[in-house]
Amino acid sequence: MLKNDRMRHQFKTAVMSGHIVRMMVAPDALAAKVSESAGAQAVFSAGYATSASALAMPDRGISDFGMALERCREIINAVNIPVFADADTGYGDLANVKRTVESYEAIGAAGIFIEDQVWPKRCGHMDGKKVEPTEVLEAKIKAAKAARQHDDFLIMSRTDARAVNGLQDAIDRSKRYQAAGADLIFIEAPQSYDELVEIHQAFPNTPLMANMIEDGKTPLTATEDLERLGFNIVVHPNAMTYTQTYAEEQLVQTLQRDGTTKAYKDHMITFPKFNEFVGLDQVNARDAQYAPEKMKQYM
Amino acid sequence: MNLLAKLTKHPNTIIPAAGDGSTIQFLAQMKPMATYLSGQLASQTLLAENDEGLISESEYAKFLRDMRLKTPNTLIADLQSGFGSPLNAYYAAQDLERSGADILILNDQPYPAHSQPHPASTTPEDLLGKTRAALDAFENPATQLWIKLEGIGNYGIDGIRQRAIYLAKAGAHALIIDHATADQLRELTSAPLALPLLATWTTKTEQLDQISGWLDTGTLAKAAQEAHQAAYHSLLEGALSYAKK
C-alpha cells in the first residue's frame, strides 16, 4: 500500500477505534516532525498556525488555498503519520470545493474539514464571526463527497454557528451536514463543559472533534475527559505556535540584553542533536551511497 | 500493461509534449498513450523562458501537481539532469513521483541542464549515481525511469552502447536518444541494445521501425505559437483597416 493510502486508512481506523486521537496543529514541517518524534498518532495542518507561520498575521482569511495546501503538503512529506487538514470554507463556491478536495487528497491528506463561516473567515474563537445559511455548507459537503476518490479520505463539517446563533442552531446545522454526508462533526467553540456534553448527546454515534485553544471560548479539558464524553479527536491548534513565539521572544530579548545567546542556550536543542533530529546522518549516508567510486560496480 | 509494452505493440507512436494547461486539457480529451510534461515548455509557460535549466524542481513539481489533477493520461515528467547531484536527484525524483508522475526522464547533461542543440555531457559515474538515486527514491514499483542521452555528438554511437549497458545494469527502464540524425539512429539500431530505445521527435524526424517510441519535443506548442502570430497579424490588419475607415 502506498503512503497516501496507508495514512488515510491509518487515520480512519484510529478515529473509528473508540479511542480519542490527540493532535497538535503543526505550523510547519519541522513542528510536525517534532510532534511525530514525541509519539503523536497524527498531526493537523490548520489556518491559524499557517497564517501565523507564513504571514505573521492573524487567522482572518488572508492566507488562501494555495498557501494552506502547500504548507500541508510540506508537513505530509516530512512525516510518516497521518495529517488532517483545515480547508477553511473550501475557498469559494462548489467549483472551488471540488478543487480543494481533489488537491488535498492528491497530496496525501487524511481528510479535511470545511466550515460554514462567511469568507473572509476568522479563527473560531475570535469575535465577530458570521455564518452562511445552512444550505451553503450542506451543498459543499455534498460536493466534497462527490469529489473525493477514496472513502478513507474523511470529510468533516465544521459549524461556527454556536457563537452567532447559539448551541441549538449549531447542533441543528451539524445534523443537516451529517445528512449531507459529513463523516465527522465539529462544532466550534462550545462555551462550557456542559455544552461539550450536550454535543455528544446530540451525536452519540458520530465521530466528533473538540478544539482546545488556550484562552479560547471552550474550557481546556483533559483528553481523558473528552474521551469519556465520547469525542474521537481532540486538536490543540495554537499551542505550538504560542510556544514558538514565546521562546523566540525570550531568545531575542536575551540577545538584546546580553549581546550573546549564551544565557538562553539551556533552552535550546544542541547543534549535534538538531542535526540528528533532522536526519543529517541519513542524508550524508545517502549522498555517499551514490559517490562516483560506488558507481563503478555498474561499469 | 506498462507504457513500454504498449509502445512495442504500437510501433511509431509519438508521445506528445505539453507545457501548459490548455494543451494538457486538450490531450486529456484526445487520450494519447502518454503525455510528456516537458521542462522546457513548462519553463516557457511559467517563466517566459525557453530554457529548462531556469525552472527549479519545486516550481516544476507544483505545475506537475496541478496538471496531474486535470488528466488521466500516463504522465511523463522531466527530471532534467536531477537538479543537482545524485542526492538532489533522489529528492527530486521522490517529489515528482509524489506529484503524480508515472515515468521520469533523467538526462545526461551536467547540472543545470539547458535546452540547446549541443549540450555538454556529465560523466557516466554521475549519471549512474543519479539513476540509482532516482530508482531508490520511487515508492511505487510501477514508476519508471527513462534516461535521455543527449551527448551523441560528444561520445558517439559507441558511447551510447556503453552507457546502455551500464544503465541497464543500474536498473533504468529505457533510453531516449536526443540530437541524433536518422543515419545515427539507423546505425544504433543495427545491433541490439541493452535497453528499449526511444528517440526524440520533431516534424522533420524520419521515423524508423526499430525505435520503440518517439518523444515529441513541442510540436503542439509550436503550432500554438504560429496560430498566435497569425491571429496577431489579423488583429493588426483589423486595426489598420478600422483606422483607414
Side-chain angles (χ1 to χ4, degrees):
Chain A
M1 198 186 270
L2 300 179
K3 179 181 172 183
N4 291 359
D5 297 324
R6 206 170 58 245
M7 292 299 122
R8 281 191 283 266
H9 183 70
Q10 201 170 305
F11 187 72
K12 188 176 184 179
T13 306
V15 168
M16 304 301 177
S17 70
H19 296 291
I20 196 161
V21 177
R22 178 167 45 199
M23 288 188 280
M24 282 287 187
V25 165
D28 53 30
L30 180 62
K33 204 171 169 69
V34 168
S35 212
E36 177 186 37
S37 103
Q41 228 180 328
V43 286
F44 212 109
S45 177
Y48 191 103
T50 296
S51 194
S53 156
L55 303 176
M57 286 192 72
D59 186 15
R60 279 285 281 105
I62 311 297
S63 67
D64 67 2
F65 164 74
M67 196 174 284
L69 181 76
E70 183 56 15
R71 182 51 54 96
C72 184
R73 191 185 71 83
E74 290 162 357
I75 289 172
I76 288 167
N77 288 350
V79 295
N80 278 304
I81 51 176
V83 180
F84 195 82
D86 166 2
D88 288 324
T89 60
Y91 306 104
D93 61 19
L94 300 184
N96 300 90
V97 168
K98 179 174 182 287
R99 182 175 178 223
T100 297
V101 169
E102 287 171 348
S103 300
Y104 274 95
E105 201 170 357
I107 63 168
I112 54 170
F113 76 61
I114 312 175
E115 71 196 53
D116 59 7
Q117 278 200 62
V118 173
W119 186 264
K121 56 78 51 92
R122 56 186 78 199
C123 162
H125 292 246
M126 289 175 180
D127 295 327
K129 293 191 294 184
K130 288 180 188 154
V131 289
E132 299 273 14
T134 310
E135 295 73 25
V136 173
L137 186 57
E138 229 174 7
K140 285 181 180 177
I141 297 289
K142 284 179 187 165
K145 290 277 280 199
R148 75 176 174 188
Q149 303 281 314
H150 305 88
D151 288 345
D152 284 355
F153 181 81
L154 298 178
I155 311 282
M156 179 190 286
S157 68
R158 160 176 157 173
T159 180
D160 285 75
R162 165 64 190 91
V164 185
N165 304 322
L167 185 62
Q168 193 52 54
D169 183 52
I171 289 171
D172 292 345
R173 281 171 174 253
S174 296
K175 288 202 164 153
R176 285 176 60 179
Y177 301 150
Q178 184 185 24
D183 304 300
L184 313 167
I185 299 291
F186 172 30
I187 294 181
E188 174 61 305
Q191 296 182 1
S192 66
Y193 186 85
D194 288 346
E195 289 195 0
L196 289 167
V197 173
E198 213 175 317
I199 289 167
H200 175 248
Q201 283 169 349
F203 297 95
N205 301 314
T206 308
L208 295 168
M209 184 171 95
N211 194 19
M212 293 291 119
I213 292 193
E214 298 74 15
D215 306 318
K217 308 276 188 202
T218 309
L220 286 181
T221 308
T223 305
E224 298 71 36
D225 291 340
L226 288 165
E227 186 170 48
R228 213 169 20 249
L229 281 180
F231 283 82
N232 304 64
I233 300 171
V234 55
V235 62
H236 297 268
N238 303 353
M240 290 189 110
T241 299
Y242 293 163
T243 303
Q244 279 182 358
T245 309
Y246 180 81
E248 283 161 2
E249 191 178 40
Q250 299 283 310
L251 167 69
V252 175
Q253 283 170 357
T254 303
L255 179 63
Q256 301 282 50
R257 187 190 64 220
D258 301 347
T260 166
T261 57
K262 208 180 281 180
Y264 203 75
K265 204 170 161 298
D266 288 348
H267 300 288
M268 294 184 196
I269 193 167
T270 61
F271 182 73
K273 277 191 176 164
F274 185 81
N275 289 338
E276 187 190 333
F277 177 71
V278 291
L280 176 63
D281 287 348
Q282 289 92 318
V283 171
N284 286 342
R286 189 164 294 290
D287 200 15
Q289 193 180 336
Y290 308 115
E293 59 276 13
K294 298 265 176 70
M295 294 302 112
K296 299 280 186 206
Q297 64 180 299
Y298 301 107
M299 299 173 71
Chain B
M1 188 189 291
N2 70 35
L3 181 59
L4 283 173
K6 282 187 201 168
L7 289 171
T8 309
K9 282 186 82 174
H10 299 90
N12 283 324
T13 297
I14 299 165
I15 299 165
D20 63 89
S22 58
T23 307
I24 287 285
Q25 223 171 11
F26 168 72
L27 291 173
Q29 290 161 7
M30 294 297 110
K31 298 187 175 59
M33 224 175 264
T35 300
Y36 168 45
L37 192 68
S38 148
Q40 182 185 4
L41 298 179
S43 185
Q44 273 178 6
T45 300
L46 298 175
L47 312 179
E49 293 283 0
N50 197 26
D51 185 352
E52 66 190 56
L54 296 175
I55 194 165
S56 68
E57 188 278 329
S58 58
E59 291 168 312
Y60 175 78
K62 161 80 176 72
F63 184 54
L64 170 62
R65 286 191 291 280
D66 289 338
M67 296 303 100
R68 172 75 284 176
L69 292 179
K70 304 315 293 179
T71 178
N73 294 345
T74 295
L75 209 46
I76 303 174
D78 198 345
L79 181 57
Q80 297 199 21
S81 57
F83 298 95
S85 74
L87 184 69
N88 298 105
Y90 177 88
Y91 291 106
Q94 188 178 61
D95 193 33
L96 297 182
E97 188 198 35
R98 280 192 64 73
S99 298
D102 299 298
I103 295 166
L104 298 188
I105 294 178
L106 171 70
N107 71 44
D108 69 345
Q109 290 193 42
Y111 168 78
H114 289 294
S115 310
Q116 55 182 335
H118 305 292
S121 303
T122 193
T123 61
E125 288 88 344
D126 184 55
L127 179 62
L128 286 165
K130 288 169 178 172
T131 300
R132 276 309 326 159
L135 290 166
D136 288 347
F138 291 158
E139 186 193 7
N140 188 340
T143 306
Q144 292 201 343
L145 182 71
W146 296 1
I147 311 295
K148 181 148 63 101
L149 296 179
E150 300 195 23
I152 194 165
N154 304 327
Y155 42 70
I157 304 280
D158 289 344
I160 290 182
R161 290 192 184 287
Q162 193 183 47
R163 280 164 176 75
I165 294 167
Y166 300 161
L167 290 163
K169 208 171 161 192
H173 296 91
L175 284 187
I176 305 167
I177 307 301
D178 197 8
H179 310 297
T181 63
D183 284 344
Q184 285 173 321
L185 289 178
R186 218 169 269 121
E187 189 184 339
L188 190 60
T189 53
S190 63
L193 268 181
L195 284 169
L197 186 66
L198 295 90
T200 51
W201 184 90
T202 69
T203 49
K204 290 175 184 160
T205 300
E206 181 192 333
Q207 288 184 247
L208 308 176
D209 287 343
Q210 295 83 354
I211 303 284
S212 298
W214 300 87
L215 188 74
D216 172 42
T217 50
T219 307
L220 297 173
K222 201 173 162 204
Q225 200 174 24
E226 284 163 5
H228 278 144
Q229 277 167 2
Y232 181 70
H233 288 306
S234 311
L235 194 135
L236 282 186
E237 281 162 21
L240 281 174
S241 43
Y242 181 79
K244 277 180 197 162
K245 277 184 206 169

PDB file of all heavy atoms in Angstrom, chain A residues 267-286:
ATOM      1  N   HIS A 267      17.889  26.368  26.924  1.00  0.00           N
ATOM      2  CA  HIS A 267      16.536  26.162  26.393  1.00  0.00           C
ATOM      3  C   HIS A 267      16.556  25.722  24.934  1.00  0.00           C
ATOM      4  O   HIS A 267      15.508  25.679  24.288  1.00  0.00           O
ATOM      5  CB  HIS A 267      15.730  27.460  26.507  1.00  0.00           C
ATOM      6  CG  HIS A 267      15.596  27.955  27.907  1.00  0.00           C
ATOM      7  ND1 HIS A 267      14.796  27.336  28.834  1.00  0.00           N
ATOM      8  CD2 HIS A 267      16.201  28.978  28.538  1.00  0.00           C
ATOM      9  CE1 HIS A 267      14.899  27.984  29.978  1.00  0.00           C
ATOM     10  NE2 HIS A 267      15.744  28.986  29.829  1.00  0.00           N
ATOM     11  N   MET A 268      17.743  25.491  24.431  1.00  0.00           N
ATOM     12  CA  MET A 268      17.850  25.114  23.005  1.00  0.00           C
ATOM     13  C   MET A 268      18.276  23.662  22.867  1.00  0.00           C
ATOM     14  O   MET A 268      18.971  23.139  23.739  1.00  0.00           O
ATOM     15  CB  MET A 268      18.933  25.952  22.312  1.00  0.00           C
ATOM     16  CG  MET A 268      18.655  27.407  22.205  1.00  0.00           C
ATOM     17  SD  MET A 268      20.025  28.128  21.253  1.00  0.00           S
ATOM     18  CE  MET A 268      19.808  29.849  21.616  1.00  0.00           C
ATOM     19  N   ILE A 269      17.891  23.092  21.728  1.00  0.00           N
ATOM     20  CA  ILE A 269      18.469  21.808  21.347  1.00  0.00           C
ATOM     21  C   ILE A 269      19.896  22.114  20.865  1.00  0.00           C
ATOM     22  O   ILE A 269      20.163  23.218  20.382  1.00  0.00           O
ATOM     23  CB  ILE A 269      17.604  21.145  20.240  1.00  0.00           C
ATOM     24  CG1 ILE A 269      17.988  19.683  20.036  1.00  0.00           C
ATOM     25  CG2 ILE A 269      17.663  21.910  18.930  1.00  0.00           C
ATOM     26  CD1 ILE A 269      16.980  18.893  19.191  1.00  0.00           C
ATOM     27  N   THR A 270      20.793  21.177  21.007  1.00  0.00           N
ATOM     28  CA  THR A 270      22.178  21.450  20.608  1.00  0.00           C
ATOM     29  C   THR A 270      22.363  21.210  19.104  1.00  0.00           C
ATOM     30  O   THR A 270      21.540  20.545  18.474  1.00  0.00           O
ATOM     31  CB  THR A 270      23.158  20.531  21.361  1.00  0.00           C
ATOM     32  OG1 THR A 270      22.836  19.181  21.019  1.00  0.00           O
ATOM     33  CG2 THR A 270      23.059  20.738  22.866  1.00  0.00           C
ATOM     34  N   PHE A 271      23.460  21.736  18.583  1.00  0.00           N
ATOM     35  CA  PHE A 271      23.785  21.567  17.152  1.00  0.00           C
ATOM     36  C   PHE A 271      23.802  20.086  16.768  1.00  0.00           C
ATOM     37  O   PHE A 271      23.100  19.684  15.826  1.00  0.00           O
ATOM     38  CB  PHE A 271      25.135  22.257  16.887  1.00  0.00           C
ATOM     39  CG  PHE A 271      25.594  22.220  15.461  1.00  0.00           C
ATOM     40  CD1 PHE A 271      24.995  23.011  14.499  1.00  0.00           C
ATOM     41  CD2 PHE A 271      26.653  21.402  15.083  1.00  0.00           C
ATOM     42  CE1 PHE A 271      25.433  22.991  13.179  1.00  0.00           C
ATOM     43  CE2 PHE A 271      27.091  21.371  13.756  1.00  0.00           C
ATOM     44  CZ  PHE A 271      26.485  22.162  12.809  1.00  0.00           C
ATOM     45  N   PRO A 272      24.545  19.223  17.504  1.00  0.00           N
ATOM     46  CA  PRO A 272      24.543  17.806  17.086  1.00  0.00           C
ATOM     47  C   PRO A 272      23.181  17.140  17.223  1.00  0.00           C
ATOM     48  O   PRO A 272      22.786  16.340  16.376  1.00  0.00           O
ATOM     49  CB  PRO A 272      25.579  17.145  18.008  1.00  0.00           C
ATOM     50  CG  PRO A 272      25.963  18.139  19.029  1.00  0.00           C
ATOM     51  CD  PRO A 272      25.520  19.492  18.580  1.00  0.00           C
ATOM     52  N   LYS A 273      22.467  17.504  18.303  1.00  0.00           N
ATOM     53  CA  LYS A 273      21.155  16.848  18.484  1.00  0.00           C
ATOM     54  C   LYS A 273      20.160  17.284  17.408  1.00  0.00           C
ATOM     55  O   LYS A 273      19.341  16.483  16.946  1.00  0.00           O
ATOM     56  CB  LYS A 273      20.592  17.177  19.872  1.00  0.00           C
ATOM     57  CG  LYS A 273      21.153  16.269  20.952  1.00  0.00           C
ATOM     58  CD  LYS A 273      20.410  16.419  22.243  1.00  0.00           C
ATOM     59  CE  LYS A 273      20.951  15.415  23.248  1.00  0.00           C
ATOM     60  NZ  LYS A 273      20.549  15.732  24.614  1.00  0.00           N
ATOM     61  N   PHE A 274      20.226  18.560  17.019  1.00  0.00           N
ATOM     62  CA  PHE A 274      19.300  19.018  15.974  1.00  0.00           C
ATOM     63  C   PHE A 274      19.619  18.334  14.650  1.00  0.00           C
ATOM     64  O   PHE A 274      18.720  17.867  13.943  1.00  0.00           O
ATOM     65  CB  PHE A 274      19.356  20.545  15.808  1.00  0.00           C
ATOM     66  CG  PHE A 274      18.330  21.034  14.820  1.00  0.00           C
ATOM     67  CD1 PHE A 274      17.011  21.200  15.218  1.00  0.00           C
ATOM     68  CD2 PHE A 274      18.661  21.272  13.499  1.00  0.00           C
ATOM     69  CE1 PHE A 274      16.030  21.604  14.302  1.00  0.00           C
ATOM     70  CE2 PHE A 274      17.695  21.672  12.584  1.00  0.00           C
ATOM     71  CZ  PHE A 274      16.381  21.850  12.987  1.00  0.00           C
ATOM     72  N   ASN A 275      20.908  18.264  14.328  1.00  0.00           N
ATOM     73  CA  ASN A 275      21.296  17.599  13.075  1.00  0.00           C
ATOM     74  C   ASN A 275      20.848  16.139  13.062  1.00  0.00           C
ATOM     75  O   ASN A 275      20.409  15.615  12.035  1.00  0.00           O
ATOM     76  CB  ASN A 275      22.813  17.694  12.871  1.00  0.00           C
ATOM     77  CG  ASN A 275      23.237  19.117  12.536  1.00  0.00           C
ATOM     78  OD1 ASN A 275      22.423  19.907  12.063  1.00  0.00           O
ATOM     79  ND2 ASN A 275      24.487  19.447  12.800  1.00  0.00           N
ATOM     80  N   GLU A 276      20.946  15.533  14.224  1.00  0.00           N
ATOM     81  CA  GLU A 276      20.498  14.146  14.331  1.00  0.00           C
ATOM     82  C   GLU A 276      18.970  14.081  14.126  1.00  0.00           C
ATOM     83  O   GLU A 276      18.466  13.222  13.420  1.00  0.00           O
ATOM     84  CB  GLU A 276      20.861  13.611  15.717  1.00  0.00           C
ATOM     85  CG  GLU A 276      20.594  12.134  15.896  1.00  0.00           C
ATOM     86  CD  GLU A 276      20.739  11.693  17.350  1.00  0.00           C
ATOM     87  OE1 GLU A 276      21.495  12.332  18.102  1.00  0.00           O
ATOM     88  OE2 GLU A 276      20.052  10.722  17.714  1.00  0.00           O
ATOM     89  N   PHE A 277      18.278  15.057  14.742  1.00  0.00           N
ATOM     90  CA  PHE A 277      16.814  15.080  14.664  1.00  0.00           C
ATOM     91  C   PHE A 277      16.321  15.219  13.220  1.00  0.00           C
ATOM     92  O   PHE A 277      15.360  14.572  12.814  1.00  0.00           O
ATOM     93  CB  PHE A 277      16.277  16.235  15.531  1.00  0.00           C
ATOM     94  CG  PHE A 277      14.797  16.371  15.460  1.00  0.00           C
ATOM     95  CD1 PHE A 277      13.970  15.426  16.048  1.00  0.00           C
ATOM     96  CD2 PHE A 277      14.215  17.436  14.789  1.00  0.00           C
ATOM     97  CE1 PHE A 277      12.586  15.539  15.962  1.00  0.00           C
ATOM     98  CE2 PHE A 277      12.846  17.549  14.696  1.00  0.00           C
ATOM     99  CZ  PHE A 277      12.030  16.602  15.288  1.00  0.00           C
ATOM    100  N   VAL A 278      16.979  16.084  12.438  1.00  0.00           N
ATOM    101  CA  VAL A 278      16.531  16.280  11.050  1.00  0.00           C
ATOM    102  C   VAL A 278      17.190  15.301  10.077  1.00  0.00           C
ATOM    103  O   VAL A 278      17.016  15.413   8.867  1.00  0.00           O
ATOM    104  CB  VAL A 278      16.723  17.743  10.563  1.00  0.00           C
ATOM    105  CG1 VAL A 278      15.772  18.680  11.286  1.00  0.00           C
ATOM    106  CG2 VAL A 278      18.158  18.210  10.720  1.00  0.00           C
ATOM    107  N   GLY A 279      17.924  14.342  10.623  1.00  0.00           N
ATOM    108  CA  GLY A 279      18.402  13.230   9.788  1.00  0.00           C
ATOM    109  C   GLY A 279      19.635  13.523   8.962  1.00  0.00           C
ATOM    110  O   GLY A 279      19.773  12.995   7.851  1.00  0.00           O
ATOM    111  N   LEU A 280      20.542  14.342   9.493  1.00  0.00           N
ATOM    112  CA  LEU A 280      21.760  14.655   8.726  1.00  0.00           C
ATOM    113  C   LEU A 280      22.554  13.393   8.397  1.00  0.00           C
ATOM    114  O   LEU A 280      23.032  13.238   7.270  1.00  0.00           O
ATOM    115  CB  LEU A 280      22.633  15.652   9.506  1.00  0.00           C
ATOM    116  CG  LEU A 280      23.974  15.991   8.849  1.00  0.00           C
ATOM    117  CD1 LEU A 280      23.774  16.691   7.504  1.00  0.00           C
ATOM    118  CD2 LEU A 280      24.838  16.857   9.757  1.00  0.00           C
ATOM    119  N   ASP A 281      22.680  12.492   9.354  1.00  0.00           N
ATOM    120  CA  ASP A 281      23.467  11.280   9.111  1.00  0.00           C
ATOM    121  C   ASP A 281      22.880  10.461   7.951  1.00  0.00           C
ATOM    122  O   ASP A 281      23.608   9.936   7.116  1.00  0.00           O
ATOM    123  CB  ASP A 281      23.529  10.405  10.367  1.00  0.00           C
ATOM    124  CG  ASP A 281      24.445  11.006  11.430  1.00  0.00           C
ATOM    125  OD1 ASP A 281      25.185  11.952  11.086  1.00  0.00           O
ATOM    126  OD2 ASP A 281      24.393  10.564  12.589  1.00  0.00           O
ATOM    127  N   GLN A 282      21.557  10.390   7.931  1.00  0.00           N
ATOM    128  CA  GLN A 282      20.914   9.616   6.856  1.00  0.00           C
ATOM    129  C   GLN A 282      21.134  10.289   5.496  1.00  0.00           C
ATOM    130  O   GLN A 282      21.358   9.607   4.491  1.00  0.00           O
ATOM    131  CB  GLN A 282      19.401   9.465   7.104  1.00  0.00           C
ATOM    132  CG  GLN A 282      19.057   8.537   8.261  1.00  0.00           C
ATOM    133  CD  GLN A 282      18.910   9.283   9.584  1.00  0.00           C
ATOM    134  OE1 GLN A 282      19.691  10.179   9.901  1.00  0.00           O
ATOM    135  NE2 GLN A 282      17.903   8.922  10.368  1.00  0.00           N
ATOM    136  N   VAL A 283      21.035  11.632   5.488  1.00  0.00           N
ATOM    137  CA  VAL A 283      21.249  12.345   4.223  1.00  0.00           C
ATOM    138  C   VAL A 283      22.695  12.174   3.764  1.00  0.00           C
ATOM    139  O   VAL A 283      22.962  11.903   2.582  1.00  0.00           O
ATOM    140  CB  VAL A 283      20.880  13.844   4.368  1.00  0.00           C
ATOM    141  CG1 VAL A 283      21.295  14.633   3.129  1.00  0.00           C
ATOM    142  CG2 VAL A 283      19.381  14.004   4.616  1.00  0.00           C
ATOM    143  N   ASN A 284      23.638  12.291   4.682  1.00  0.00           N
ATOM    144  CA  ASN A 284      25.050  12.096   4.322  1.00  0.00           C
ATOM    145  C   ASN A 284      25.295  10.675   3.822  1.00  0.00           C
ATOM    146  O   ASN A 284      26.047  10.464   2.866  1.00  0.00           O
ATOM    147  CB  ASN A 284      25.959  12.389   5.525  1.00  0.00           C
ATOM    148  CG  ASN A 284      26.064  13.887   5.798  1.00  0.00           C
ATOM    149  OD1 ASN A 284      25.750  14.693   4.922  1.00  0.00           O
ATOM    150  ND2 ASN A 284      26.466  14.259   6.995  1.00  0.00           N
ATOM    151  N   ALA A 285      24.654   9.711   4.466  1.00  0.00           N
ATOM    152  CA  ALA A 285      24.827   8.314   4.049  1.00  0.00           C
ATOM    153  C   ALA A 285      24.275   8.121   2.635  1.00  0.00           C
ATOM    154  O   ALA A 285      24.875   7.426   1.807  1.00  0.00           O
ATOM    155  CB  ALA A 285      24.128   7.385   5.027  1.00  0.00           C
ATOM    156  N   ARG A 286      23.160   8.761   2.371  1.00  0.00           N
ATOM    157  CA  ARG A 286      22.566   8.637   1.032  1.00  0.00           C
ATOM    158  C   ARG A 286      23.479   9.284  -0.009  1.00  0.00           C
ATOM    159  O   ARG A 286      23.679   8.750  -1.100  1.00  0.00           O
ATOM    160  CB  ARG A 286      21.174   9.280   1.011  1.00  0.00           C
ATOM    161  CG  ARG A 286      20.422   8.998  -0.253  1.00  0.00           C
ATOM    162  CD  ARG A 286      18.953   9.285  -0.153  1.00  0.00           C
ATOM    163  NE  ARG A 286      18.191   8.450   0.746  1.00  0.00           N
ATOM    164  CZ  ARG A 286      17.918   7.172   0.534  1.00  0.00           C
ATOM    165  NH1 ARG A 286      18.377   6.560  -0.536  1.00  0.00           N
ATOM    166  NH2 ARG A 286      17.201   6.502   1.402  1.00  0.00           N
TER     167      ARG A 286
END
